[in-house]
Amino acid sequence: MSNVPSLVDLCVQTAIDNVRYLGDVGGVGEQLLERILPHCDVDQLKHIEDCSEGTDLSPLTDYLWKNFYHKKFGERSFNTVVQKMKSRNVTFQWRKLYEAKVKDMEEAQQKSIERMKKLYQNEDAQKKSRQVKLCTKVPPSSNKRNFYGGWGPGSIVGSSKSNLMKKSKVDFLKSQEVRNLTALRKNVVQKDDRPLCIRKPGGFSSKGSASTSQNIKPFQRR
C-alpha cells in the first residue's frame, strides 16, 4: 500500500507533465508550487508569473531565476553581480537581473550589427565611386596654340602617334616579305616585256620552201 501514490501526488505529477499549459496559479498552495515550478523553463516560468498578477511568486521563483542567470551567462558574470550587490549592500530580484542582462546583450548585438551594416555600406560606396571614376571620359584637348605660342598636349600626342606610324611603315617596307613580293613583281614585269614569236599555221614560210627546193638536186638514174 505504501507504493500507491496519493491523490495529491497524482495531481502534482499531472501538473508537471502539462506545465507548458499552466497559467494563473494564484489559488495553488505554495507547497504544491514548490514541487511544480522547478520543472519550468525560462519562458514557462515567466508566463506563469505574468499570468498570476495578483500573486507575488518571487519568494518561490527567485532562486530559480538565479539558477537561470548562472546557467546562461556563466560563472564570471554571476560572481560579478553577487559582489556588486554585497559591496553596495543591496538586493535585486534575479528575474530583473536576468532580463536586464538579456536586454544589454541584445542592445550590444544590435549595435554590432549596425556597425557592420555601416562598414558594408561605406565599402559599397567606395567601390561605386571607384567605378564612376573609371568610367568618366576625359574631354578631348584642343590643338590650338596656347598663350605662349606652344602647342597643347593634343599636339604632343598627335606627333607621337604620327612618329609611331612612320616607324611602323618603314619597318614594314624593310621586312623580308615585302622584299620578296617586290622581286616577284619585277620578274613578272620582265617576262611581260619580252617579244612574242607567233608562227603562222602551215609550217615554214614560202621563201624557206623555195630555197630548199632549189638546193635539192634531181634524182639521176644510173
Side-chain angles (χ1 to χ4, degrees):
M1 296 295 293
S2 60
N3 294 329
V4 178
S6 64
L7 182 59
V8 175
D9 294 336
L10 291 174
C11 292
V12 170
Q13 187 61 44
T14 302
I16 292 172
D17 295 338
N18 298 277
V19 69
R20 61 184 180 277
Y21 301 114
L22 296 180
D24 186 3
V25 293
V28 182
E30 292 184 1
Q31 294 180 353
L32 298 177
L33 292 176
E34 287 178 353
R35 298 173 60 183
I36 296 171
L37 295 179
H39 296 276
C40 297
D41 58 19
V42 174
D43 295 331
Q44 292 168 355
L45 187 61
K46 183 177 182 298
H47 175 71
I48 291 172
E49 285 189 308
D50 292 340
C51 292
S52 305
E53 295 180 356
T55 305
D56 183 14
L57 298 177
S58 59
L60 300 175
T61 60
D62 192 60
Y63 81 97
L64 297 175
W65 285 106
K66 182 179 180 180
N67 294 335
F68 289 148
Y69 188 101
H70 185 273
K71 184 177 180 180
K72 185 174 181 64
F73 304 115
E75 185 74 20
R76 183 176 180 180
S77 179
F78 176 80
N79 292 333
T80 301
V81 173
V82 172
Q83 290 176 1
K84 285 183 178 180
M85 287 193 295
K86 286 182 178 180
S87 62
R88 298 176 183 178
N89 196 18
V90 292
T91 302
F92 297 101
Q93 292 182 2
W94 281 99
R95 176 182 174 175
K96 293 181 179 180
L97 294 172
Y98 181 93
E99 292 176 346
K101 185 68 174 179
V102 170
K103 186 177 180 181
D104 291 341
M105 292 183 67
E106 290 177 352
E107 290 178 354
Q109 185 177 6
Q110 187 64 29
K111 289 180 180 179
S112 178
I113 293 173
E114 293 296 331
R115 286 196 297 269
M116 293 296 294
K117 285 183 179 179
K118 288 182 179 179
L119 289 175
Y120 283 119
Q121 289 175 357
N122 294 334
E123 186 67 21
D124 292 338
Q126 290 179 0
K127 289 181 180 179
K128 290 180 181 179
S129 65
R130 287 196 293 267
Q131 291 176 358
V132 170
K133 289 180 181 178
L134 291 174
C135 293
T136 53
K137 293 183 178 180
V138 179
S141 58
S142 61
N143 292 329
K144 296 181 180 180
R145 290 179 177 271
N146 56 20
F147 179 77
Y148 297 99
W151 292 93
S155 61
I156 298 173
V157 175
S159 61
S160 62
K161 287 184 178 179
S162 62
N163 292 332
L164 289 173
M165 291 295 292
K166 289 179 181 179
K167 186 176 182 303
S168 61
K169 186 175 180 181
V170 171
D171 294 338
F172 176 73
L173 293 175
K174 290 181 179 180
S175 63
Q176 187 64 33
E177 294 180 358
V178 175
R179 292 179 181 178
N180 294 336
L181 289 173
T182 304
L184 182 61
R185 288 179 181 176
K186 288 181 179 180
N187 293 332
V188 172
V189 171
Q190 290 176 0
K191 289 180 180 181
D192 292 340
D193 292 340
R194 292 178 182 177
L196 297 176
C197 296
I198 302 174
R199 294 181 180 180
K200 294 181 180 181
F204 299 99
S205 61
S206 59
K207 292 182 180 181
S209 60
S211 61
T212 52
S213 62
Q214 291 177 0
N215 293 329
I216 298 173
K217 294 181 179 181
F219 181 76
Q220 295 179 358
R221 294 182 179 179
R222 291 182 181 179

